[in-house]
Amino acid sequence: MAIPFSYSFRNLWTRRLTTVLTASGMALVVFVFASILMLSEGLRKTLVDTGSPDNVVVIRKGSASEVQSGIERIQAAIVETEPEVAFGVRGRRLLAKELLVLINLPKRGTNKTSQVVIRGIQPESLLLRPQVKLVQGRMPKAGSSEIMAGASIARRFRGGGVGENLRFGMRDWTVVGIFDAGNSAFSSEIWGDADQLMQAFRRPVYSSVIFKLADSSAFEAVKKRLEGDPRLTLEARRETKYYADQSEMMAKFLRILGMSLTVIFSLGAIIGAMITMYSAVANRTSEIGTLRALGFQRGSILAAFLMESLLLGLVGGCIGLFFASFLQLFTISTLNFQTFSELAFSFTLTFEIFYKSLLFSLIMGFVGGVLPAFRAARKNIVEALRVT
Amino acid sequence: MNQTKPPIVRIRNLSKSYRRGSQIIPVLEDITFDIPDGEFLALMGPSGSGKSTLLNLLAGIDSADTGSILINGVEITTLAETELARWRSLHVGFIFQFYNLIPVLTAFENVELPLLLTRLSRQERRAHVETALRVVGLADRMDHYPAQLSGGQQQRVAIARAVVTDPTILVADEPTGDLDRYSAGEILDLMDRLNRESGKTIIMVTHDPRAAEKAHVIRYLEKGELSDASQ
Ligand SMILES: Nc1ncnc2c1ncn2[C@@H]1O[C@H](COP(=O)(O)OP(=O)(O)OP(=O)(O)O)[C@@H](O)[C@H]1O
Ligand SMILES: [Mg+2]
């Protein structure tokens, strides 16, 4: 039978101060580790929630996003006639030809400006995005200079609230409504009439065509036809995939940043744990000798010290996660790297991140403790007993 | 009386030397002697004469250069490390000069420690530990940590830990070396009682003539060689 678990636990408890200090180092690393995972999860969730699997986004071939895309009116009209496009009310196709423009707007409380997505919409745009809900004011009237702002725009940009005015495209636009699109990227957009915006910005072409499939499984067929049509220079993606692709680059960036930070910090924390464990082994040399004399095997000594170090890691992991969980209260706005516009999202803690962080803290405990534990196990009994 | 029983410890031609750099320091040279079952033996001799070394060898925590150590019929010099550890857990009770209790474990848990290496159930272990602590008169101190006990009390807990597995031999290296006269007397009385009432074979290294007095036999170790008290 092994040396009891309480032996490892109480030794940590006995030197509480050292334990807490060492665990804090690991906690910091787990905090960084978890928060970056939470950040990239929040971003992914925001962008993926933005799309709906039955919707198809059509943009110009080779353009990474709606921002770089341009679709001639004639081409857009051809897309509208595809048989796979669903019908909505009064026999109208559930399809919207939209415009996307980036503008700089000043933020509230500072003079700094930030880039914002303006989306020119058509009546069907709202039917295609049921997650977009008006929470204040009313819808802009078609053919007017009225606009509505996403909830996070209203909160963070000067002139974004109901009744306020925003100036862009050499015109003043009145905000008549605020819409909430939950956790999606739409919450960071401003929506207005597509034709009015095209006039204001002197843009002759649409940016994208969005439509709903009558039958979700018909996607491959319509994609093949659109992309094979010699009159068209377009590509089609499911809306979910379109937004997931957008998050890809940001996610990759966060992964690289997160992993480099984590590796650098964890080296420090592991060395800290190693120093603590080496001194624990040195301080308890005669104790190790005693246990061995009583008949405990080298393996039991190894296990007891390793357990101690794993526990140390776990304590660090729990502290780090505890603090990281508070990050969920914050909303972050950052640059969407694909559109170079502002995007608001929050840190999201998932079960996967939770257990990955704890696993990571255990790994740090293990790596920090394995050499000291081997030193403890390798000691010669008589020499260990001679140390007092 | 002793001649009728087979010896519990039988040492033949035992030698041990230490190497310090290129220099070889002989500590024990060709030691041969027997210890009868139920003996209370005191091992004396000047500092550095090899008393501890000899004790460690027959307790199975150090290895000899040559010679044989037979304890209750088992040749321990040829046992592999893991077998030797197992053998110690069953057959040797250790009493150290500085008690060597585990500070983070209570008196009860310290005494229970060697029983964790046996197949005894939790209840059986509890019964054994309580008996052992009662024998040393510390049944009421079960939940105390070593730091909450006096030196003499700690040594009594250590004795309870040494006898709880009912080992074949008890080895004690200067068990009273760190104690005042009064506590030392208590410890010696306890060891004497264990020897007389339970028939424990005790091998005790000591510098203290009063401690040696309690023993049946005193042997002297000097310049690597063993001699009787009578000489
Ligand atoms: N690991 C070692 N390396 C070198 N020499 C050692 C080692 N261990 C013990 N010795 C030497 O062996 C000799 C015997 O040591 P031992 O500890 O057995 O003596 P002792 O009789 O118990 O002495 P004391 O009464 O002081 O405890 C001493 O000369 C000591 O210096
Ligand atoms: Mg000695």
Side-chain angles (χ1 to χ4, degrees):
Chain A
M1 204 166 161
I3 295 169
F5 175 74
S6 53
Y7 172 77
S8 305
F9 176 77
R10 286 192 211 154
N11 271 304
L12 284 178
W13 181 248
T14 304
R15 49 185 162 91
R16 297 185 269 292
L17 184 65
T18 319
T19 299
V20 166
L21 288 177
T22 313
S24 308
M26 304 220 226
L28 180 70
V29 180
V30 171
F31 179 85
V32 171
F33 180 80
S35 57
I36 284 172
L37 289 183
M38 285 164 73
L39 199 68
S40 89
E41 176 62 21
L43 182 75
R44 196 192 63 79
K45 215 165 153 275
T46 296
L47 287 172
V48 170
D49 281 0
T50 306
S52 124
D54 289 348
N55 286 355
V56 178
V57 177
V58 181
I59 54 176
R60 194 181 52 216
K61 197 169 274 166
S63 47
S65 78
E66 291 169 285
V67 177
Q68 294 92 2
S69 162
I71 301 180
E72 311 278 335
R73 285 170 186 272
I74 292 181
Q75 295 203 11
I78 294 171
V79 175
E80 197 164 10
T81 61
E82 295 296 333
E84 286 83 1
V85 180
F87 282 96
V89 284
R90 273 177 265 125
R92 284 174 65 106
R93 294 268 183 168
L94 269 176
L95 174 141
K97 295 169 260 186
E98 299 185 342
L99 173 75
L100 218 84
V101 187
L102 292 174
I103 55 158
N104 270 304
L105 287 180
K107 289 193 168 185
R108 287 193 196 277
T110 68
N111 284 324
K112 287 206 192 95
T113 64
S114 204
Q115 228 164 15
V116 171
V117 170
I118 312 266
R119 186 182 292 274
I121 59 160
Q122 294 187 327
E124 276 69 26
S125 294
L126 284 153
L127 299 175
L128 287 165
R129 280 87 168 213
Q131 74 269 43
V132 174
K133 292 188 180 68
L134 195 70
V135 289
Q136 198 190 335
R138 58 175 176 81
M139 289 287 176
K141 276 204 272 292
S144 73
S145 293
E146 292 178 351
I147 51 171
M148 61 179 181
S152 78
I153 294 288
R155 222 176 314 127
R156 294 182 300 118
F157 285 88
R158 203 186 299 160
V162 170
E164 294 183 291
N165 283 309
L166 285 170
R167 184 165 178 84
F168 53 82
M170 290 178 294
R171 271 206 227 172
D172 278 322
W173 305 77
T174 312
V175 180
V176 297
I178 305 294
F179 64 92
D180 185 17
N183 226 347
S184 75
F186 296 131
S187 292
S188 305
E189 293 183 357
I190 293 172
W191 287 13
D193 183 272
D195 291 324
Q196 293 295 316
L197 287 163
M198 284 167 89
Q199 276 175 29
F201 286 107
R202 300 178 202 289
R203 289 268 289 260
V205 295
Y206 295 109
S207 300
S208 59
V209 176
I210 321 287
F211 65 84
K212 192 180 170 77
L213 290 165
D215 171 9
S216 183
S217 62
F219 171 72
E220 287 305 327
V222 72
K223 176 185 169 73
K224 214 171 147 194
R225 186 146 5 87
L226 286 174
E227 292 180 358
D229 192 325
R231 296 167 297 170
L232 305 177
T233 49
L234 305 176
E235 65 176 74
R237 265 184 271 177
R238 280 191 199 268
E239 203 181 21
T240 39
K241 171 130 186 0
Y242 173 79
Y243 285 106
D245 288 349
Q246 284 204 5
S247 71
E248 195 50 37
M249 198 166 134
M250 185 73 175
K252 198 182 278 173
F253 169 75
L254 282 176
R255 256 198 310 275
I256 292 169
L257 174 79
M259 289 311 124
S260 355
L261 276 180
T262 305
V263 164
I264 293 165
F265 283 15
S266 67
L267 276 180
I270 287 170
I271 290 170
M274 208 181 278
I275 291 170
T276 304
M277 288 311 297
Y278 267 130
S279 86
V281 171
N283 288 335
R284 304 219 295 274
T285 298
S286 76
E287 212 170 297
I288 293 163
T290 306
L291 288 167
R292 291 284 310 285
L294 294 181
F296 286 96
Q297 303 282 357
R298 286 182 196 272
S300 303
I301 305 289
L302 183 84
F305 277 90
L306 214 45
M307 176 61 73
E308 201 167 311
S309 181
L310 285 171
L311 268 174
L312 193 61
L314 198 62
V315 170
C318 290
I319 299 174
L321 268 180
F322 175 77
F323 285 107
S325 68
F326 284 106
L327 290 175
Q328 291 181 102
L329 303 174
F330 294 102
T331 298
I332 287 277
S333 71
T334 183
L335 216 54
N336 180 340
F337 274 13
Q338 215 69 57
T339 58
F340 293 100
S341 59
E342 280 257 327
L343 181 68
F345 61 97
S346 29
F347 287 92
T348 309
L349 181 58
T350 60
F351 179 70
E352 196 189 338
I353 295 175
F354 181 82
Y355 87 74
K356 269 187 182 166
S357 303
L358 285 188
L359 191 70
F360 181 62
S361 68
L362 287 174
I363 290 173
M364 282 195 291
F366 181 85
V367 175
V370 70
L371 289 179
F374 267 106
R375 175 177 288 183
R378 268 210 310 269
K379 282 191 189 295
N380 172 283
I381 303 177
V382 175
E383 278 165 23
L385 283 172
R386 217 193 298 274
V387 177
T388 46
Chain B
M1 181 185 85
N2 281 340
Q3 279 89 331
T4 57
K5 286 190 205 167
I8 197 105
V9 177
R10 188 173 162 278
I11 293 177
R12 291 292 174 274
N13 311 106
L14 193 67
S15 295
K16 168 90 180 168
S17 54
Y18 283 108
R19 196 164 291 117
R20 200 175 286 145
S22 58
Q23 198 185 1
I24 291 174
I25 306 155
V27 180
L28 301 174
E29 284 177 284
D30 203 28
I31 304 251
T32 293
F33 77 111
D34 289 342
I35 302 171
D37 194 6
E39 179 81 285
F40 188 168
L41 172 84
L43 208 52
M44 299 188 79
S47 188
S49 56
K51 306 180 294 297
S52 297
T53 305
L54 180 57
L55 198 70
N56 290 341
L57 285 174
L58 57 91
I61 56 173
D62 202 353
S63 54
D65 296 343
T66 56
S68 135
I69 306 169
L70 209 62
I71 295 181
N72 211 10
V74 178
E75 176 59 57
I76 65 164
T77 52
T78 57
L79 290 179
E81 189 182 76
T82 55
E83 293 166 340
L84 196 58
R86 171 127 196 81
W87 175 82
R88 282 197 303 272
S89 72
L90 295 170
H91 298 287
V92 186
F94 285 90
I95 303 167
F96 302 95
Q97 178 174 0
F98 300 106
Y99 336 126
N100 290 27
L101 298 177
I102 308 299
V104 299
L105 301 181
T106 63
F108 181 94
E109 290 164 333
N110 265 288
V111 178
E112 191 189 23
L113 216 42
L115 294 179
L116 296 177
L117 295 163
T118 67
R119 284 176 204 277
L120 295 180
S121 72
R122 204 184 179 79
Q123 287 96 320
E124 289 169 318
R125 291 204 302 266
R126 171 155 278 275
H128 278 75
V129 173
E130 282 171 355
T131 307
L133 280 170
R134 214 172 304 123
V135 167
V136 301
L138 286 174
D140 55 336
R141 297 304 193 106
M142 242 161 17
D143 297 324
H144 285 58
Y145 286 90
Q148 298 167 323
L149 300 170
S150 73
Q153 288 169 332
Q154 286 188 55
Q155 193 61 302
R156 274 146 67 193
V157 173
I159 291 173
R161 179 178 67 185
V163 298
V164 74
T165 52
D166 192 20
T168 310
I169 56 171
L170 276 184
V171 297
D173 198 344
E174 303 185 35
T176 58
D178 197 48
L179 296 173
D180 61 72
R181 275 173 70 100
Y182 179 77
S183 303
E186 279 187 339
I187 294 300
L188 290 168
D189 286 341
L190 182 55
M191 289 173 69
D192 182 45
R193 234 177 64 220
L194 285 169
N195 173 254
R196 277 187 295 105
E197 293 170 12
S198 319
K200 287 267 154 261
T201 304
I202 303 176
I203 304 134
M204 173 177 71
V205 167
T206 187
H207 284 292
D208 179 1
R210 291 188 328 116
E213 256 171 41
K214 286 279 179 191
H216 307 159
V217 179
I218 303 174
R219 283 179 183 262
Y220 288 94
L221 195 59
E222 199 159 3
K223 296 193 181 110
E225 286 177 32
L226 205 59
S227 58
D228 286 342
S230 51
Q231 286 178 311

